[in-house]
Amino acid sequence: MPSNTSVKDARVVALIGNPNTGKSSLFNALCGMNARVGNYPGVTVEQKVGRLSGTAETIDVIDLPGTYSLAARSADEAVAVNVLSGEIPQQAKPEVAIVILDAANVERNLYLFSQIYELGLPVIVVMNMWDRVTSEGLTVNAELLSQRLGVPVVCTSANKRKGIDELKKTIESTLRSPASTPRPEQFARAMFPSVFHDEVKQLTEWLESQGRKPSTYQVDRLLIDSDGHFQKLICQSGLPDIATKIEDARLRLQTAGCKVPMFETKARYAWVRKLIDGAVVRQESRSASPSDRIDRWLTHRWVGMLFFVFVMFIVFQSITLFAKFPMDGIQWLQAQASGGVEAVLAPGALRSLIVDGVIGGVGGVIVFLPQIAILFLFIAILEDCGYMARAAFVMDKLMTTVGLSGKSFLPLMSSFACAVPGIMATRTIESRKDRMVTLLIAPLMSCSARLPVYVLMVSAFVPDTKYVGGWITLQGMVLMFMQSLGAMVAIPVAWLLKKFFFPGEPATFLMELHSYKWPSPVVIYQRVWERLLSFVVRAGTLIFCTSILVWAAVYFPGDHLSLDSSVSKLERLQSEVSETIAKQPSSPRGTEAPIEDPNIANMQSKIDEAQELVNQQRSKLIEGSFLGMVGHRIEPFVKPLGWDWKIGVAVVASFPAREVIIATLGTIYSLGSDQDENSQGLQHQMQIAEWPNDGKPVFSLATALSIMVFFALCAQCSATLMTIRRETNSWRWPIFSFVYMTTLAYIGAWLTYQCFRFWS
Amino acid sequence: MRFHQFEIFPVCGSMITDSVPLPIEYLQPECHGTIVEMCGQPCQMQRLAELGIRQGCKVRMVCQGEPCLICIEGRRISLRLGDSADIFVIPAAG
Ligand SMILES: Nc1nc2c(ncn2[C@@H]2O[C@H](COP(=O)(O)OP(=O)(O)OP(=O)(O)O)[C@@H](O)[C@H]2O)c(=O)[nH]1
Ligand SMILES: [Mg+2]
């Protein structure tokens, strides 16, 4: 896993560039890591550190979020700027800035370069996406640019791992002997008006008299960006007069005819144009590219929206259709494992711990690996082909009706995988108010941890009706509805939040849509694999531990001696019967014949008796266990939702992490059932569960739906709440989210149960 | 909305004279134009310029509406400025 800090005595270089120029792809190629890659701006939102492989010296590479300029506006851009200028405490300032340009769009990319050039760091220019230069019919003379700038220029194709070795060599040689620092007249800021230079000198002198040591770059930014990133930093550090100083300076510049901030962009573009003159030639294409032709439909107001719904439909239908076989396979393995352990171990605490706690609990969660894999396969494809940004474009219209912009759509979409990266991705939203609203509704999006819960409930209690020759399933549609429920509830929630907590006009929407491309198999494989691995690790740690705790709470304090002896007796009877059957020579392979034998019939009834006794003893033990005691306290609160105490405790236990409900139910039902039923999985056990007083089934469609609605809306994830705390820097917002979501969940589940209880 | 009078013109092609700047929203799909003026908050103008949208730039409208999708130097940028800013273009003939 990429870490966030570098080793003390390693040399540090940083990758910086416009969004979506392939920084993370290059980082992965250089360091052999798997940082997230996707074909839309704003994939990386925090710095990642990796170790350059195959070099003599220890060199750490930092992958940074993309930015269009050093005038940071959003939180992710601020990360890039802070790291590059060494503002992060306890972290070394990078020694070399590696500026990654999209070789097919050099002019715009060089704007950022012109700013970094002035930082005084040794710079390496990387022309990534070099493959596009040829395919788009451009001419780029990298050598000429290198000569004019006096910095090394390397051409790469990060996704095809081309030019990586050369880049490594260049990094090493630059660290060894940096190119001579450019003269100030070489910079774009030499083209700024002289009045501006005078103001910079004045402000620098004043800051120095206050005991500060600002760099020219910082003073430039202070003067140019109104209420910018550096102004805020410096105000916070105890120089409140600075605001009036800057205001006065800007006023003077204005009267002298220097238009702040536009003079900067003008000067820089003029500088860039001079630089690339003759080195970069773009054929002006008057016709639409293939991407344009696709976009004409996918960004169409209605067609685009319908397409988006269609894509989601396909995803959830596929999950129900294709996950079935691998899931059955894993379930079979689970049953084999239980059977194996039962054959080896005599009934007792250890056997119960392994079979009921570990295999029943953790195994129950692992069963859902295929669904997770399919979901992430689709997410990875959508992210890497470039469709995500289109979806954001289409959704902008809808988002403005609740006061947000299309920018908020991408973090919300990534919350469908997991709310934690989704909340992190809100860093890309410039408007603070929009960011807060997005961050607070992100946990409502149906994350992949909810998927197993839905699948379990849907496959057990929604009829397996198929339409259109089996290609569309009712289960798939219910699954899609549950997945979109959170998003639908988020609409009024966002509207209320925006209206009462963060009032303001919807922010303007400005986003680059990069060309479509074929999704890269490596990127997809990495994304799916990483997710599956983390799912398994989660099951093996967090869920494993809770399973054992839950098992202990169900197993103790009851006395299991009499149950164990009954179970032994039952198993002995069962094996005797099977031996007798095996011995009967004339018996055909069918099952009917042996029962007619009076001897066997006699034994069978004995088995039934023993079975009855075991079941009675089991349910008595569960009722009297620690968990049973707690459960009966909870029951009055969850009864209105149609739940019995077992569901109640399972839901309460799943507050730290959602999948725990499956592990908990798995353990409870495994402890309460015999081996034959156990082998048929949790689904079957849930289907036959009965209320003790009247023998009616515990689970009906209404109960299943109410559980799903509760899970759709509830904030059952400690990691999410911690991320909200970290990103907002206060406890207020995680507590707020927890309270509002749990309340919504309870009300939603109650309403659902009350509506559906009389149906079916 | 402002500039209602423009709606009655088919603004692509040679029917309109070269000298009439119009808000970018009214550029028809697949029409080219040159940005002649941008107005709005300075900090917003700065961001537009950083993304490559600036005076003198040639644009092509890919998808009209709110937001619209424009193409500048081969890059597609989606744009919704609302009432706070305006970009004026002169449509190219032909
Ligand atoms: N054609 C081509 N595509 C590339 C190349 N390098 C990367 N890509 C693709 O460009 C897209 C963006 O790559 P990323 O590595 O996520 O870009 P990034 O700069 O880290 O993006 P942000 O983190 O959002 O700023 C992905 O779809 C890559 O597969 C290249 O050399 N050629
Ligand atoms: Mg990245």
Side-chain angles (χ1 to χ4, degrees), chain A residues 20 22-25 35-38 42-45 63-66:
Chain A
N20 213 50
K23 297 176 294 299
S24 301
S25 309
R36 244 182 86 191
V37 166
V43 178
T44 311
V45 290
D63 179 27
L64 291 175

Side-chain angles (χ1 to χ4, degrees), chain A residues 504-641:
Chain A
E505 284 293 296
T508 54
F509 176 57
L510 192 60
M511 193 169 70
E512 194 171 348
L513 306 189
H514 295 266
S515 305
Y516 290 101
K517 67 183 259 290
W518 286 107
S520 135
V522 179
V523 169
I524 292 173
Y525 165 79
Q526 270 176 352
R527 185 111 165 83
V528 174
W529 174 244
E530 178 202 59
R531 198 63 210 178
L532 288 184
L533 208 63
S534 83
F535 186 75
V536 172
V537 166
R538 214 167 130 89
T541 51
L542 184 69
I543 295 166
F544 178 76
C545 293
T546 32
S547 287
I548 289 181
L549 286 180
V550 168
W551 171 83
V554 189
Y555 197 78
F556 298 111
D559 178 11
H560 286 253
L561 280 179
S562 56
L563 173 66
D564 288 345
S565 69
S566 315
V567 171
S568 305
K569 197 175 144 205
L570 176 66
E571 283 174 7
R572 223 174 26 245
L573 281 171
Q574 280 168 338
S575 59
E576 269 172 34
V577 170
S578 42
E579 271 167 30
T580 325
I581 293 171
K583 269 189 216 139
Q584 293 213 339
S586 59
S587 146
R589 291 219 94 171
T591 47
E592 232 60 28
I595 310 269
E596 281 156 23
D597 187 321
N599 198 9
I600 291 177
N602 188 16
M603 281 164 95
Q604 197 69 50
S605 72
K606 267 194 199 156
I607 289 183
D608 290 347
E609 255 168 52
Q611 181 78 67
E612 187 63 24
L613 184 67
V614 167
N615 284 355
Q616 266 173 20
Q617 283 173 330
R618 273 201 170 118
S619 54
K620 214 156 144 207
L621 279 171
I622 289 188
E623 302 279 325
S625 67
F626 288 128
L627 202 74
M629 289 186 249
V630 177
H632 286 294
R633 291 272 157 76
I634 298 177
E635 198 160 59
F637 297 101
V638 297
K639 201 87 181 258
L641 311 182

